[in-house]
Amino acid sequence: MATVTYDNATRIYPGADGPSVDKLNIDIQDGEFLVLVGPSGSGKSTALRMLAGLEEVNEGRILIGDRDVTNLSPKDRDVAMVFQNYALYPHMSVADNMGFALKIAGVSKTEIRSRVEEAAKILDLTQYLDRKPKALSGGQRQRVAMGRAIVRSPQVFLMDEPLSNLDAKLRVQTRTQIASLQRRLGVTTVYVTHDQVEAMTMGDRVAVLKDGILQQLDTPRRMYDHPNNVFVAGFIGSPAMNLLEEPIRDGGVQLGSIVHPVEQSKLAKAEKTAIVGIRPEDLEPTTEGGIPVEVDVVEELGADAYIYGRTTVGNQPGDTQLAGSDDEKQIVARVDGRNVPDKGQTIHFKPKGQGDHLHLFNPESGERIES
Amino acid sequence: MALDITTARPWPALLDLPWRLPLEEWPEDRLAALPRGISRHVVRFVRLEGRVVAIKEIKDDIARREYAMLRMLRRLDQPAVEPIGVVSGRLTRDGEPLDACLLTRHLQFSLPYRAMLSQSLRPETATRLIDALAVLLVRLHLVGFWWGDVSLSNALFKRSAGEFSAYLVDAETGELQDRLSNGQREHDLDIARVNIAGELMDLQAGGYVDEDLDPIEVSDRIIQRYTVLWTELTEVERFDLGERWRVDERIRRLNALGFDVGELDITTDFDGATIQIQPKIVDAGHHSRRLLRLTGLDVEDNQARRLLNDLDSYRAAHDRQNDDEEQVAHDWLMQVYEPVTRTAPPEMRRKIEPAELFHEVLEHRWYMSEAAKRDFPIEEAARDYIAKVLPSKPDDSAVVGVDTAEMPVRART
Ligand SMILES: Nc1ncnc2c1ncn2[C@@H]1O[C@H](COP(=O)(O)OP(=O)(O)OP(=O)(O)O)[C@@H](O)[C@H]1O
Ligand SMILES: Nc1ncnc2c1ncn2[C@@H]1O[C@H](COP(=O)(O)OP(=O)(O)O)[C@@H](O)[C@H]1O
Ligand SMILES: [Mg+2]
Ligand SMILES: [Mg+2]
């Protein structure tokens, strides 16, 4: 078991305009489940491969425990890239399917047997050890494949979108299994996904990357409640956070016809306008004015419903900065499932509470405005 | 959602296939019972307008990726199965969505390793398969293809004059890059070794290969063969200016391995006393390219080597060393190769590729000469081979291999 340290680790591909991974700094604790998440091309796989020894590190270092592995070959790093494509061999028992690779590595028979039994216990496969894979269900086969990785007992597990070739149902099932398995094994794990839901449900901490640059490294809770910048705010959470550029007024921000109160300390750091972030569940209907929303779609989920609509209030970040333009903006709000508006209806929304459910970002830098 | 058939060339007959059924349930009479390797996806072969199509049921996005990757590999002149297209938007009669299908052309006269191994139990068969896989892996790595799932199951093998040549069949996990890092190449090799060992252990567990074959030892061979080849193809060599013959020597060695040198980097150090050479561009197919140029025959490299040797003997025997090379080749083709390969009756010709038949006849002639202590004309050897040997040869295109069950990993079942 081990910690993992990215110390200003940088990867520049020959001929590329800039770094694909740019001065990455992450301290991963012993036994931690760290998820690297970000849109396609953000450098997640590259970062993982640098740790695995599959991609050169051009600047900076990578440590596993106290060992500088920056220039070690993959097999000298004691990490296991958990592969999504393990074959299952029809004539070999489940036990042999799990343990045969150790034979190649020269591990003794008794040691193999004990590691396989240990892994089988954790994977709930003990009673199948002497069967052939044919006799197993799809989910059990998937677990045998995981067993193959577990018995290697490396210092660090590395997984790159390991669920991408599973069907949707097995994906959700396996996601939960991997997370709980990792916790029981306590092996430091770095996991790459482009799916923020997967990241938020699995990780002890989540590292959000964009354009090769670490945007934020936090627990899922903290990431959700306290995004450091507009990118993270919009990327984490589903449906995404509403982001509107609004004028700053004395004592608050202008939201349609109302001025929503915000602490003075925050306002002091704001310029003339701020990007206001409000999660769909932090909006509530109001009759006292606020953000007018014309309802396009209602998605009923039972207890709740999501409303997808448009407003003419504010600029969405990325728009040309035309304050007061009448371009329409997307708004998503969560409402009580027993009390949903009709399509085409216009209702007003305001943030719940007193500014504590509001996120403010600098419209130029995109950075969070802190008190 | 409507059925969407993406192909490079339109093929209307594809519409007649029962896309609404899960591949596992396709009626027997549509299928061609040909051997397959181990796989996690369901794979079936279908005869369609005189061709055999391999169909793999796989997630849409992965199918498209693999299709694009196979096209790219073909464009890079790599030995890989030929992609035909992707069929997506499939629905059952009840409107349930089905996975997409990747369509590739069944590689004629190819066999999966399981069929090769169980068919001919000669101990060196396994090592020859590995050697062929090593060549394939080196070639792929040279063009920047990072396979990610190297195994005997993910390659197909064709006989090539006593050796095998390997083709890539599963590009699902592959990535194409400008240049692979050493770590990436090592990773592929490591995966290859573990998979090969597993595949051989599996055959052993099923009683299909000899007990004294050591899977671990055989699997080690991929690393040795790969390393030797990679070094020869890429290594920098230094020598004194006086040893200039070593440049030719290096090129000859590469040719012997079946590679042409497209670009050789030659530099001298500042005092001009030592030379440094490094191949920059190498292309496989040294012999097959030469044979193709001379005769128009398109065959595996090792077969070509064999045919070229016979062409050389022909030339010597007819005392035509000073004649135009192409003219001699043309005459050899008309007077020797064509008649010999046409000796076989049509129903036996589908058992074996013409070039492979020619090679077998040459081998047969050697055995005849050894036994009778005299020479035989090739026509006579051909007649004898076709009468006595060919009929009892297993039909490569019809062996239904050892169990070729797939092992799907999915939520249903
Ligand atoms: N074009 C083809 N010609 C001949 N055989 C083929 C062809 N395509 C597939 N096969 C056979 O089907 C088998 C399975 O195909 P493939 O390896 O693509 O499936 P897979 O499910 O992706 O495998 P894996 O489990 O390795 O990911 C191959 O081993 C090969 O024997
Ligand atoms: N082998 C490579 N050669 C050149 N550029 C690459 C290579 N691999 C990745 N990149 C570039 O590096 C960036 C990050 O890619 P990647 O790590 O694959 O991102 P992600 O995993 O987040 O999708 C991308 O801009 C990509 O184009
Ligand atoms: Mg395969
Ligand atoms: Mg595959």
Side-chain angles (χ1 to χ4, degrees):
Chain A
M1 266 172 251
T3 58
V4 170
T5 311
Y6 283 91
D7 175 14
N8 278 311
T10 299
R11 172 67 182 144
I12 306 165
Y13 284 103
D17 296 340
S20 288
V21 170
D22 197 358
K23 297 199 184 61
L24 186 61
N25 287 297
I26 305 180
D27 280 308
I28 305 169
Q29 284 150 35
D30 186 13
E32 190 176 27
F33 194 123
L34 182 97
V35 181
L36 295 172
V37 70
S40 167
S42 57
K44 311 175 292 281
S45 293
T46 305
L48 190 77
R49 288 171 183 179
M50 290 159 81
L51 172 54
L54 302 173
E55 213 50 271
E56 203 184 316
V57 178
N58 301 101
E59 288 161 33
R61 300 183 307 161
I62 292 181
L63 308 176
I64 297 178
D66 300 327
R67 217 156 51 108
D68 184 339
V69 299
T70 314
N71 297 307
L72 291 187
S73 95
K75 59 178 183 301
D76 297 331
R77 296 189 180 205
D78 202 9
V79 301
M81 193 90 178
V82 182
F83 193 41
Q84 39 177 304
N85 289 45
Y86 290 121
L88 290 170
Y89 300 111
H91 301 296
M92 280 158 51
S93 66
V94 166
D96 284 343
N97 263 289
M98 281 164 64
F100 81 92
L102 295 179
K103 234 192 254 179
I104 307 169
V107 180
S108 77
K109 269 202 172 116
T110 45
E111 172 72 17
I112 296 178
R113 188 71 204 178
S114 86
R115 287 207 215 166
V116 167
E117 277 170 8
E118 190 60 34
K121 215 184 298 165
I122 295 174
L123 292 163
D124 238 346
L125 288 170
T126 304
Q127 68 201 95
Y128 304 104
L129 277 180
D130 295 321
R131 304 232 191 129
K132 300 283 158 62
K134 268 238 120 129
L136 306 186
S137 71
Q140 287 164 336
R141 288 175 189 168
Q142 184 70 15
R143 298 213 295 276
V144 175
M146 280 189 231
R148 245 177 96 171
I150 292 173
V151 297
R152 291 183 52 186
S153 57
Q155 297 214 48
V156 184
F157 281 129
L158 307 178
M159 309 190 200
D160 193 342
E161 306 261 4
L163 310 179
S164 60
N165 59 1
L166 300 181
D167 59 71
K169 190 170 158 211
L170 192 56
R171 219 183 139 117
V172 174
Q173 227 167 286
T174 311
R175 181 207 284 172
T176 324
Q177 266 164 17
I178 291 180
S180 80
L181 190 63
Q182 191 275 342
R183 259 128 226 164
R184 268 185 288 168
L185 291 169
V187 178
T188 314
T189 300
V190 185
Y191 185 105
V192 164
T193 178
H194 69 279
D195 179 346
Q196 59 89 20
V197 178
E198 210 165 286
M200 297 293 275
T201 49
M202 295 180 83
D204 290 324
R205 280 191 304 162
V206 175
V208 178
L209 291 177
K210 182 188 167 244
D211 300 334
I213 296 171
L214 179 63
Q215 304 291 311
Q216 187 165 354
L217 172 61
D218 260 318
T219 62
R221 181 81 262 154
R222 174 86 181 160
M223 188 82 73
Y224 191 81
D225 290 342
H226 197 268
N228 282 352
N229 60 36
V230 172
F231 175 76
V232 175
F235 186 74
I236 297 291
S238 169
M241 185 187 284
N242 298 294
L243 293 165
L244 299 164
E245 187 174 346
E246 300 291 346
I248 298 294
R249 304 280 183 238
D250 220 19
V253 289
Q254 184 87 44
L255 291 176
S257 54
I258 59 168
V259 173
H260 190 75
V262 173
E263 293 160 52
Q264 193 51 45
S265 56
K266 268 193 194 175
L267 290 176
K269 301 217 173 106
E271 319 264 323
K272 268 164 57 189
T273 66
I275 292 169
V276 181
I278 315 163
R279 296 218 176 266
E281 67 271 27
D282 292 333
L283 282 170
E284 60 186 5
T286 161
T287 49
E288 299 142 32
I291 309 167
V293 177
E294 187 182 336
V295 180
D296 288 326
V297 175
V298 178
E299 188 182 60
E300 305 244 22
L301 299 171
D304 304 314
Y306 281 106
I307 289 175
Y308 296 83
R310 284 161 297 139
T311 184
T312 49
V313 160
N315 266 322
Q316 262 165 0
D319 289 356
T320 41
Q321 311 281 311
L322 290 173
S325 87
D326 32 57
D327 287 352
E328 295 184 322
K329 315 289 151 14
Q330 289 290 330
I331 293 283
V332 186
R334 192 172 80 187
V335 298
D336 185 350
R338 272 157 301 212
N339 192 7
V340 290
D342 292 327
K343 248 170 73 174
Q345 204 180 332
T346 296
I347 34 178
H348 285 78
F349 283 97
K350 70 175 182 60
K352 290 177 182 166
Q354 292 293 314
D356 43 344
H357 291 294
L358 260 184
H359 308 265
L360 294 185
F361 304 97
N362 181 307
E364 254 87 71
S365 66
E367 294 301 310
R368 186 182 189 88
I369 298 170
E370 292 290 0
S371 41
Chain B
M1 204 170 21
L3 196 67
D4 174 6
I5 302 185
T6 309
T7 53
R9 260 174 265 143
W11 194 3
L14 286 176
L15 284 165
D16 300 334
L17 294 173
W19 299 114
R20 286 176 172 275
L21 290 175
L23 197 48
E24 262 174 326
E25 294 169 20
W26 283 26
E28 290 290 331
D29 61 353
R30 300 224 77 131
L31 304 179
L34 296 166
R36 295 187 303 269
I38 311 178
S39 68
R40 285 161 312 128
H41 301 101
V42 180
V43 176
R44 294 287 181 270
F45 302 115
V46 167
R47 272 185 221 287
L48 201 61
E49 298 184 329
R51 277 193 248 172
V52 181
V53 179
I55 306 182
K56 163 155 97 171
E57 206 167 59
I58 186 168
K59 279 177 68 182
D60 189 13
D61 49 337
I62 302 178
R64 282 175 200 288
R65 217 184 141 269
E66 191 169 359
Y67 174 67
M69 189 56 77
L70 287 172
R71 293 193 65 170
M72 216 107 81
L73 287 174
R74 303 274 305 183
R75 225 170 288 150
L76 289 168
D77 214 12
Q78 296 300 300
V81 295
E82 181 189 333
I84 295 174
V86 174
V87 176
S88 61
R90 296 168 65 213
L91 294 176
T92 64
R93 298 211 186 282
D94 305 330
E96 288 291 313
L98 290 170
D99 273 346
C101 285
L102 172 70
L103 278 51
T104 54
R105 185 160 180 184
H106 180 261
L107 187 66
Q108 243 196 328
F109 296 107
S110 74
L111 282 179
Y113 78 103
R114 290 170 96 76
M116 285 286 186
L117 282 179
S118 56
Q119 209 183 58
S120 54
L121 288 162
R122 285 186 307 173
E124 46 320 341
T125 307
T127 55
R128 291 205 179 136
L129 291 175
I130 309 283
D131 292 356
L133 191 62
V135 173
L136 175 62
L137 191 58
V138 165
R139 287 187 64 179
L140 292 168
H141 282 179
L142 282 172
V143 297
F145 181 78
W146 188 18
W147 194 343
D149 195 6
V150 193
S151 68
L152 291 169
S153 277
N154 286 338
L156 291 168
F157 297 92
K158 279 172 82 167
R159 296 181 196 286
S160 176
E163 297 182 8
F164 293 111
S165 29
Y167 286 71
L168 175 142
V169 66
D170 185 344
E172 191 188 336
T173 47
E175 266 179 47
L176 211 46
Q177 311 194 349
D178 286 342
R179 203 183 144 267
L180 298 188
S181 70
N182 290 341
Q184 288 166 337
R185 293 190 301 108
E186 271 175 43
H187 188 64
D188 259 2
L189 267 181
D190 195 46
I191 288 172
R193 191 165 78 117
V194 173
N195 281 339
I196 291 167
E199 289 166 327
L200 294 175
M201 286 178 194
D202 182 57
L203 283 182
Q204 217 159 41
Y208 294 106
V209 294
D210 221 74
E211 274 305 318
D212 16 292
L213 179 146
D214 179 353
I216 295 177
E217 200 184 302
V218 176
S219 71
D220 262 340
R221 189 178 172 92
I222 187 81
I223 299 188
Q224 298 154 15
R225 289 299 304 165
Y226 175 97
T227 311
V228 167
L229 257 179
W230 184 265
T231 308
E232 192 61 77
L233 291 170
T234 60
E235 201 182 41
V236 177
E237 209 176 330
R238 275 188 197 81
F239 40 82
D240 290 344
L241 195 57
E243 293 180 292
R244 260 184 306 197
W245 51 272
R246 287 180 61 172
V247 178
D248 289 335
E249 174 62 25
R250 177 73 176 264
I251 293 174
R252 252 196 299 278
R253 283 205 311 272
L254 290 170
N255 289 165
L257 289 167
F259 288 83
D260 279 324
V261 182
E263 196 180 310
L264 186 71
D265 198 37
I266 307 185
T267 48
T268 54
D269 63 355
F270 58 93
D271 64 1
T274 53
I275 294 186
Q276 180 175 309
I277 60 170
Q278 183 181 26
K280 285 293 180 189
I281 298 173
V282 289
D283 298 303
H286 169 71
H287 303 96
S288 57
R289 243 193 312 278
R290 177 152 175 253
L291 186 73
L292 183 68
R293 182 173 59 76
L294 290 173
T295 64
L297 292 174
D298 191 2
V299 305
E300 298 296 326
D301 202 61
N302 200 47
Q303 291 170 338
R305 184 200 311 257
R306 196 78 212 267
L307 301 194
L308 287 167
N309 281 340
D310 194 60
L311 173 58
D312 282 344
S313 325
Y314 172 86
R315 197 177 173 132
H318 292 79
D319 207 12
R320 295 182 60 182
Q321 267 87 345
N322 298 323
D323 287 8
D324 174 44
E325 198 185 18
E326 273 152 50
Q327 187 56 50
V328 181
H330 179 260
D331 295 345
W332 169 83
L333 187 68
M334 292 318 200
Q335 290 162 20
V336 183
Y337 184 81
E338 293 282 352
V340 164
T341 51
R342 261 196 253 116
T343 315
E347 71 276 10
M348 268 193 243
R349 280 190 213 154
R350 61 173 200 137
K351 276 193 177 186
I352 186 165
E353 268 184 311
E356 194 61 18
L357 174 68
F358 193 83
H359 156 75
E360 293 263 317
V361 168
L362 288 176
E363 292 281 283
H364 187 68
R365 182 173 64 170
W366 187 84
Y367 285 114
M368 286 169 74
S369 303
E370 278 290 291
K373 300 275 176 261
R374 69 169 176 91
D375 282 343
F376 287 90
I378 191 158
E379 296 78 11
E380 192 178 336
R383 276 194 302 277
D384 196 61
Y385 176 82
I386 284 155
K388 296 194 182 131
V389 184
L390 189 57
S392 56
K393 277 244 156 195
D395 185 346
D396 276 1
S397 63
V399 248
V400 178
V402 227
D403 59 336
T404 51
E406 49 266 316
M407 214 80 57
V409 172
R410 58 188 173 206
R412 44 199 147 89
T413 71

